[in-house]
Amino acid sequence: MQPNPISPLLAELLKQYPPVLDLEQGAQILKYPTVNSVRLAFCRGRLPVRLRSIGGRYVFFLSDIVEFLETGQPQEQILKPHPTPAPTAGKRPGRPTKAQQIARRQAEA
């Protein structure tokens, strides 16, 4: 059985990058303008490459990026983005006004 050959693109990128990339390096290869845009794409479910968490940090595997660049097929995410909190319904009530306090006291009496 022959070993799996390394693709030319992977060999070329391994000369420039480590096998595990941080968000900045992944953004550079995937042509995202900033790290924040990578995070936003992940939260919106539009990041085409698997994002992984190692030691509490988000990272890309270079092999995943090469697989996406060669096939053009988006990969299923292993991680799920943190849910955004639901907006509160209307304005929260603050301290009652003096008129409201007096009205409440009169209603209680």
Side-chain angles (χ1 to χ4, degrees):
M1 186 172 177
Q2 291 185 0
N4 206 2
I6 295 178
S7 74
L9 179 59
L10 180 59
E12 184 65 32
L13 287 175
L14 277 172
K15 293 177 186 175
Q16 301 171 22
Y17 298 100
V20 178
L21 307 169
D22 61 15
L23 288 182
E24 188 173 338
Q25 293 167 326
Q28 186 179 13
I29 294 173
L30 294 170
K31 306 285 191 236
Y32 279 92
T34 63
V35 172
N36 209 21
S37 60
V38 172
R39 286 191 185 107
L40 189 60
F42 171 68
C43 288
R44 291 181 175 171
R46 296 182 183 153
L47 189 64
V49 179
R50 255 180 234 112
L51 193 61
R52 300 169 190 257
S53 178
I54 297 179
R57 297 183 61 108
Y58 288 133
V59 295
F60 291 106
F61 284 179
L62 188 58
S63 58
D64 289 341
I65 292 178
V66 169
E67 179 185 331
F68 167 70
L69 292 175
E70 289 179 342
T71 64
Q73 297 295 320
Q75 302 164 352
E76 183 152 347
Q77 289 294 335
I78 297 171
L79 301 174
K80 299 297 177 204
H82 298 290
T84 56
T88 56
K91 187 176 176 183
R92 289 182 17 186
R95 181 177 176 173
T97 64
K98 192 66 170 178
Q100 291 170 334
Q101 291 173 4
I102 293 171
R104 186 179 307 137
R105 278 191 221 134
Q106 289 174 349
E108 290 173 358

